[in-house]
Amino acid sequence: MKSTLLKNCRIVENNKLISCHLFLEGEKIGHISDDPITADEVIDIKGKIVIPGMIDCHVHCREPGNPQKEDYLTISRAAAKGGITTFLDMPNNTPPTTTVERLEEKRVLAKKSLVDYGFHFGADGKNEQEIKNAKNIASVKLYLDLTTGGLKLDDFSSVERILNIAPFCAVHAEQENLTNVISLASGLKKKVYACHISTAAEIQEIRKNRKSVFAEVAPHHLFLTEDDAASLGMLGHVRPALKTKADQEALWNAIAGGLVDTIATDHAPHLKEEKMEKEIYGFPGLETVIPLLLHAVNEKRLTLQDVVVLTSRNPAKVFGIHNKGQLKEGFDADLAVIDLDLEKEVRGTCLLTKCAWSPFEGKVLKGWPVATFIRGTLVYRDGNFFPHQGKEITIIARRPQPPTREQNLIPENPEGENSPSLQREKEGSLSLQQEEENNG
Ligand code: DOR
Ligand code: ZN
Ligand code: ZN
């Protein structure tokens, strides 16, 4: 088995940066060492910071159906460049991923990906047997509001049936729909994953129902508001829509209070020409999420530990992704090397996503990913790609039984006196094993 030494790294541990050398054994992190032991290959990281690669648990690849917007190769190049080592793909394609056969088609198409990937499965209200038969899915995605694709569920009785049979559900539910689905889940003693929370009122719902809901926030709701939507014009359409400054502040406060479990891009590429022509929803986000978050670290709005927890450790735990999400011996060596001092402007034309525009156009951000390793292989460095075949992640089996005890990943910090990451460290997150027990 080939060994690789990443010499002179700095890594984030317990909210501190520590200098070390990372010894990789094949695809895994072998050990984290003080001594630069020899290896088959030695790569000098030159004191840069190495974090676990982002697990982006919410992206929309457009294959099959609309490969002109994105395909598995382009999405994965954008991901690798953005410091994302795994993505979870949503089911609202044309046709939607609501049958095992269509999931298998996606599995074939996704072999082009350079980075690792997993799949959410769709629900159309009529495919319960398919849901039961689908294997290794991250979640069953329930659309309770109108958006891209035709997957909106119109009656709560089918939502209830799906919550009962699915191993885990993610929801696109805004405002009253969020309130209703959380209350349904809570009555069934289930815990749902709420995508892209965007308002202060939704944060209140999350706060009241921590036992029944995981909360995801998207970067565009953290860094843009309705004022940006106005200046973006036709390009500014996204679901959920960009909100007020007060809503945005509520999201940042929720992060500080430990109420948010994950940050995910909701990368939803549409070509500029398509958006200019009619009202369609979605922003690309893969290549800007880590720079935006690192910029916030430089501005002291977040710590690096927060970034690592929200973009990698928690996504792996929430979705039960085997062996990923932590810089730990025996885990997959999925790594992003970041340069916290590098300043660059976001330019749509430089993006690798097929849609090649960005709602963050012109923002100068400090802190960028510079190299990415997937399972021990250098896949991207300073603008260059190296051949690699991504593979499907393994989801730790969940049984569709109600959880028997509280399974909050991150306890809330009502005082807000400690930094969220310290609080999380102190009270601890669930281990994967606990998470498994809770699910079955
Ligand atoms: O803006 C959005 N775009 N929101 C969604 O829920 C779906 C997504 C898409 O697939 O285009
Ligand atoms: Zn959505
Ligand atoms: Zn989405």
Side-chain angles (χ1 to χ4, degrees):
M1 189 196 309
K2 184 186 162 192
S3 61
T4 310
L5 185 75
L6 307 188
K7 209 169 80 173
N8 304 323
C9 305
R10 284 185 301 155
I11 63 170
V12 189
E13 234 178 61
N14 299 328
N15 234 351
K16 286 199 211 65
L17 279 178
I18 55 171
S19 298
C20 66
H21 311 281
L22 291 176
F23 184 78
L24 314 183
E25 281 171 357
E27 299 188 343
K28 309 281 179 208
I29 296 168
H31 47 266
I32 301 172
S33 145
D34 291 334
D35 305 312
I37 23 180
T38 55
D40 299 332
E41 188 184 1
V42 176
I43 301 175
D44 195 347
I45 301 295
K46 300 188 177 154
K48 291 214 165 45
I49 299 168
V50 179
I51 57 175
M54 176 167 175
I55 298 173
D56 188 350
C57 40
H58 188 157
V59 312
H60 299 263
C61 184
R62 303 304 192 184
E63 236 189 332
N66 284 290
Q68 82 284 3
K69 296 179 197 262
E70 201 78 287
D71 62 45
Y72 283 104
L73 180 61
T74 55
I75 202 170
S76 74
R77 285 166 61 90
K81 187 176 169 204
I84 295 163
T85 49
T86 297
F87 64 82
L88 302 184
D89 184 29
M90 286 294 168
N92 60 334
N93 297 70
T94 328
T97 318
T98 44
T99 68
V100 170
E101 194 184 340
R102 288 185 191 155
L103 178 63
E104 294 306 326
E105 282 165 24
K106 269 197 172 178
R107 287 190 162 123
V108 173
L109 292 166
K111 288 189 192 298
K112 297 197 281 291
S113 175
L114 302 175
V115 307
D116 288 353
Y117 49 84
F119 302 98
H120 298 281
F121 198 71
D124 58 13
K126 307 182 291 269
N127 67 335
E128 281 151 48
Q129 195 53 45
E130 298 287 338
I131 290 173
K132 287 183 186 160
N133 292 343
K135 297 273 186 318
N136 204 43
I137 52 171
S139 83
V140 175
K141 175 77 181 277
L142 309 180
Y143 287 90
L144 304 181
D145 292 281
L146 196 64
T147 182
T148 310
L151 278 180
K152 184 169 177 300
L153 293 168
D154 286 313
D155 69 298
F156 265 79
S157 63
S158 65
V159 174
E160 177 167 358
R161 286 199 311 275
I162 300 160
L163 284 175
N164 268 321
I165 58 156
F168 187 48
C169 288
V171 296
H172 176 135
E174 300 181 38
Q175 312 196 36
E176 306 88 75
N177 279 332
L178 182 70
T179 308
N180 293 339
V181 76
I182 292 177
S183 125
L184 195 55
S186 156
L188 298 169
K189 300 222 172 343
K190 299 282 181 182
K191 188 162 183 174
V192 290
Y193 179 84
C195 296
H196 43 51
I197 293 303
S198 67
T199 68
E202 289 171 353
I203 290 292
Q204 270 309 98
E205 279 306 312
I206 303 284
R207 189 190 306 280
K208 283 194 297 202
N209 293 284
R210 293 240 57 196
K211 280 189 192 162
S212 310
V213 63
F214 291 110
E216 171 198 279
V217 170
H220 43 272
H221 295 120
L222 285 173
F223 294 93
L224 301 173
T225 65
E226 56 187 7
D227 296 343
D228 298 290
S231 30
L232 283 161
M234 292 298 280
L235 291 179
H237 295 298
V238 67
R239 290 286 173 102
L242 297 180
K243 299 288 179 354
T244 65
K245 191 83 194 136
D247 288 314
Q248 187 186 47
E249 274 314 302
L251 300 182
W252 281 100
N253 290 337
I255 290 180
L259 270 178
V260 173
D261 296 290
T262 64
I263 293 179
T265 60
D266 197 2
H267 175 79
H270 298 282
L271 300 180
K272 210 170 185 172
E273 308 84 86
E274 298 170 328
K275 295 224 6 150
M276 297 312 282
E277 206 169 282
K278 61 175 198 278
E279 189 169 325
I280 44 176
Y281 307 107
F283 293 159
L286 295 171
E287 291 155 88
T288 43
V289 60
I290 293 291
L292 287 163
L293 297 176
L294 296 181
H295 191 79
V297 169
N298 274 316
E299 288 186 327
K300 311 230 180 304
R301 304 187 82 182
L302 284 176
T303 66
L304 261 185
Q305 176 97 10
D306 297 329
V307 174
V308 164
V309 167
L310 292 164
T311 64
S312 189
R313 191 169 83 187
N314 283 352
K317 288 186 174 183
V318 170
F319 291 99
I321 301 172
H322 180 61
N323 253 9
K324 292 193 185 286
Q326 290 183 64
L327 249 173
K328 203 162 135 183
E329 288 171 23
F331 274 56
D332 287 352
D334 294 341
L335 311 167
V337 183
I338 57 171
D339 182 343
L340 264 186
D341 299 318
L342 182 62
E343 258 185 302
K344 275 198 302 188
E345 183 183 332
V346 176
R347 280 205 223 110
T349 50
C350 299
L351 298 179
L352 299 178
T353 170
K354 271 192 193 172
C355 74
W357 66 274
S358 171
F360 305 104
E361 182 73 33
K363 276 199 197 303
V364 177
L365 300 175
K366 187 170 174 187
W368 289 77
V370 291
T372 305
F373 291 81
I374 317 276
R375 283 177 284 108
T377 301
L378 179 66
V379 173
Y380 171 82
R381 185 181 204 167
D382 298 328
N384 299 305
F385 287 90
F386 307 97
H388 187 253
Q389 180 151 30
K391 74 174 194 200
E392 187 175 350
I393 55 165
T394 301
I395 300 285
I396 296 162
R398 301 175 191 253
R399 272 177 280 143
Q401 256 100 59
T404 49
R405 60 190 158 90
E406 182 160 346
Q407 54 166 286
N408 278 348
L409 267 184
I410 305 162
E412 188 179 353
N413 172 17
E415 285 77 44
E417 49 188 350
N418 297 323
S419 89
S421 44
L422 279 177
Q423 186 74 9
R424 286 175 194 127
E425 281 306 303
K426 204 163 61 193
E427 300 193 22
S429 295
L430 293 183
S431 68
L432 279 175
Q433 198 185 345
Q434 283 171 306
E435 177 78 352
E436 249 180 304
E437 281 165 19
N438 285 339
N439 281 301

